[in-house]
Amino acid sequence: MSDANVAQKAIVRLGEQNGFAADWTEDVTQLASAGALLKYNAVVFLSTSRDTLDDSAQTALRQYIRAGGGFVGIHNAFGTEYNFPWYEGLLGGANFYDHGPAQSGTVRMADRGALPSRWTFTDEWYNLVPFPSKVRILAEVDESSLARGVRGSLGHPGHGDHHPVAWCQYYDGGRSWMTTLGHTATAFTNTTTEDGAVYFQKLIVSGIRSAAGADPFCR
């Protein structure tokens, strides 16, 4: 992570614009104890990958959530910690399986709120195995809007009429908000509505603020 990391910079910028501060690190030792995490209202996994946490960090994250902490998982947070069942539960009982080609599609909001009920966005449209369960679905992709289909690189056929891309849940004493979206750099840097970047940024701001307890959660 550096000044060239547009996603990292976007979270800091969005925090400055929306009333929260954001620290960032790639150093797993900063997650070595629940005490280190408890000074934060939410922990964001921003496109983490594979075995991100050592044993101490796994324990600290679990203790943090059990103490009422908030968690936000963005994009490849779903491609992380495959061998940690508790973390899979934190993601809503879901994990990344594969994805089709990056392409434009239509996001449908379950509850409109501050966002349009439908908006255009470009992403990889993750297919999920297992599929999220016992969560509140916040947004889905309309698979019929994907010109090149959704079949993934490992053959997953897509999720049909209900393909979630954002959801939330209370989990093990804490709050967990997730989105599979966020693959492209422009999703974090553009300030336009035509490509959905502004709506995506509003979506993750809503997720961070609600997981942190600043706004009503999972409503």
Side-chain angles (χ1 to χ4, degrees), residues 87-207:
Y87 179 80
E88 183 176 287
L90 183 67
L91 296 178
N95 254 317
F96 167 73
Y97 183 77
D98 67 6
H99 62 74
Q103 61 183 306
S104 176
T106 300
V107 175
R108 301 183 303 222
M109 301 300 299
D111 294 299
R112 180 172 178 176
L115 297 176
S117 58
R118 297 172 67 90
W119 41 282
T120 300
F121 192 67
T122 296
D123 214 280
E124 297 174 314
W125 311 111
Y126 278 7
N127 296 313
L128 304 162
V129 176
F131 190 81
S133 59
K134 298 180 181 179
V135 300
R136 181 179 182 194
I137 303 298
L138 302 173
E140 299 181 329
V141 59
D142 180 353
E143 288 191 1
S144 69
S145 69
L146 303 178
R148 289 178 284 171
V150 76
R151 182 173 291 277
S153 59
L154 298 179
H156 195 291
H159 296 295
D161 292 338
H162 298 288
H163 187 149
V165 296
W167 57 91
C168 57
Q169 64 170 343
Y170 289 95
Y171 180 72
D172 203 16
R175 300 173 300 276
S176 180
W177 187 97
M178 289 73 63
T179 181
T180 61
L181 305 179
H183 174 65
T184 67
T186 55
F188 293 92
T189 59
N190 283 8
T191 57
T192 53
T193 56
E194 291 82 1
D195 62 358
V198 165
Y199 302 136
F200 166 72
Q201 292 165 35
K202 287 183 176 181
L203 181 70
I204 59 175
V205 165
S206 174

Side-chain angles (χ1 to χ4, degrees), residues 1 13 17 21 26 37 55 61 80-81 85 98 118 152 157 179 183 186 195 203-204:
M1 298 180 77
R13 171 179 57 83
Q17 295 171 347
E26 285 187 306
L37 297 178
D55 289 348
L61 181 62
T80 300
E81 297 294 321
D98 67 6
R118 297 172 67 90
T179 181
H183 174 65
T186 55
D195 62 358
L203 181 70
I204 59 175

Side-chain angles (χ1 to χ4, degrees), residues 8-57:
Q8 163 202 322
K9 291 176 66 175
I11 297 299
V12 173
R13 171 179 57 83
L14 291 171
E16 293 171 347
Q17 295 171 347
N18 293 278
F20 62 88
D23 293 337
W24 54 268
T25 186
E26 285 187 306
D27 181 3
V28 71
T29 65
Q30 299 299 309
L31 283 68
S33 71
L37 297 178
L38 283 168
K39 64 181 180 179
Y40 296 103
N41 293 317
V43 172
V44 180
F45 276 28
L46 180 58
S47 280
T48 47
S49 185
R50 301 297 176 173
D51 291 330
T52 299
L53 306 176
D54 59 17
D55 289 348
S56 295

